Amino acid sequence: MSVQAVEATASATVANLGVGFDILGMALQAPCDVVRAERSDAEGVQIVAITGDAGELSRDPTRNTAGIAAAYVLGQIGAAAGVRLTLHKGLPLASGLGSSAASAVAAAVAVNALFGEPLDHAALLAASLEGEAAVSGRHADNVAPSLFGGITLVLGAAAEAIYSLPVPPNLHLALATPAIAVPTAHARAVLPPSVPLKALVHQTGQVALLIHALYTGDLALLGAALEGDQVIEPARAHLMRGLAEVRAAARARGALGTVISGAGPTLCSLCDSEAVAERVAEAMREVYAELNLPAAIRVTQPALHGATWRAL
Ligand code: HSE
């Protein structure tokens, strides 16, 4: 069945989870991007409006992650009709929360739904990645959890390379997004081109421990494992003002562990209850007030469901 207009919602994600650089990602319940798609007689993709971006994103569909993902879906479907998109950005831009991925996923899901869902999950992943790649590089650790939900192990761009991992039931998250610019390209450019064998052994051990912690639901172990990154965080830490202070304050209020979310600057503290997450959020506010650095603070939980859509 096809409809005239749909609205799709895709959530923010925390990529890497500390030690799992480019291979682990977790979907969040909030914030989310929303894409409304409607049929158009004009061919191709038009972006008619974007809200919530303070005018920063391009309305040119060939230069916008949502527009690129939507065009990819249209191409796969071989649709004669075009689509008009309206994008509402609930996610802050360049925040380390998978903003470009969420827009791409929401657009791909919306356009596919508009034409009766002819594409499967693998094709939607490819479409989303196409949009993401144009803006943030070709890595699926944000698009996969945003599309499928939960915590995902991402070993490639194909759907068979995505593994769903258990999400501990009590996990709550406190997130701080300070007002500092950390372009993903820059945060990737500072990384070492190779790592010593000793670091490789340590890093793989920490990833294995993290997976074990997820399967056993051992949150204390999870916190220890995700902070065990000796490769990526040390190279990026100088870009994340407040990291050491937030980590110490979060730990003092009961957080299990604190990591850079994706390429930053958002910091994410994992907590074993909502009450602890609220206390940690308060500690984050205090730290950034002390540093005189504006920061958006949120408390949320992992999202078990992936992107959703509804007919309008
Ligand atoms: N895994 C990526 C990184 C996420 O850390 O660079 C960025 O979106």
Side-chain angles (χ1 to χ4, degrees):
M1 191 193 79
S2 61
V3 290
Q4 283 308 307
V6 304
E7 190 176 84
T9 301
S11 75
T13 44
V14 172
N16 302 334
L17 294 180
V19 283
F21 177 68
D22 276 0
I23 60 166
L24 290 174
M26 173 171 60
L28 307 181
Q29 289 183 4
C32 294
D33 279 1
V34 178
V35 169
R36 177 194 163 101
E38 52 193 312
R39 285 170 181 266
S40 155
D41 293 335
E43 263 182 35
V45 179
Q46 278 175 273
I47 298 180
V48 291
I50 304 178
T51 59
D53 69 329
E56 284 192 34
L57 293 178
S58 174
R59 270 71 173 159
D60 175 350
T62 64
R63 296 179 55 224
N64 181 293
T65 175
I68 294 166
Y72 186 95
V73 171
L74 281 183
Q76 292 295 305
I77 294 173
V83 291
R84 288 158 54 85
L85 302 182
T86 305
L87 168 62
H88 175 66
K89 291 296 302 175
L91 271 72
L93 309 183
S95 58
L97 287 170
S99 173
S100 51
S103 294
V105 168
V109 168
V111 175
N112 188 43
L114 193 62
F115 289 90
E117 296 194 287
L119 301 188
D120 62 11
H121 276 160
L124 288 178
L125 182 68
S128 307
L129 196 52
E130 207 58 29
E132 168 78 320
V135 178
S136 286
R138 192 169 286 277
H139 52 88
D141 51 340
N142 292 109
V143 289
S146 187
L147 182 59
F148 301 123
I151 299 177
T152 53
L153 171 64
V154 180
L155 299 183
E160 314 82 72
I162 312 293
Y163 296 84
S164 179
L165 300 175
V167 181
N170 306 327
L171 210 52
H172 286 73
L173 312 159
L175 300 158
T177 308
I180 42 180
V182 182
T184 301
H186 183 46
R188 291 180 83 84
V190 299
L191 299 178
S194 60
V195 296
L197 188 60
K198 200 172 162 202
L200 171 74
V201 171
H202 175 85
Q203 200 82 355
T204 49
Q206 295 302 301
V207 175
L209 187 63
L210 192 151
I211 305 291
H212 171 75
L214 291 176
Y215 273 96
T216 56
D218 188 330
L219 293 184
L221 209 53
L222 177 65
L226 52 84
E227 283 192 356
D229 172 18
Q230 291 184 359
V231 175
I232 305 301
E233 186 187 298
R236 287 179 167 172
H238 68 285
L239 302 173
M240 315 293 159
R241 213 172 134 221
L243 172 59
E245 296 92 328
V246 165
R247 176 170 284 152
R251 188 173 295 146
R253 305 280 174 101
L256 301 161
T258 299
V259 291
I260 301 168
S261 178
T266 294
L267 303 180
C268 173
S269 293
L270 281 77
C271 306
D272 62 5
S273 74
E274 188 176 3
V276 172
E278 292 291 355
R279 282 204 294 276
V280 170
E282 194 47 42
M284 289 169 155
R285 265 184 214 105
E286 289 165 13
V287 167
Y288 285 111
E290 187 78 17
L291 294 172
N292 207 15
L293 183 58
I297 312 289
R298 301 178 175 81
V299 169
T300 187
Q301 281 193 272
L304 303 182
H305 302 293
T308 56
W309 68 272
R310 67 186 179 99
L312 296 174

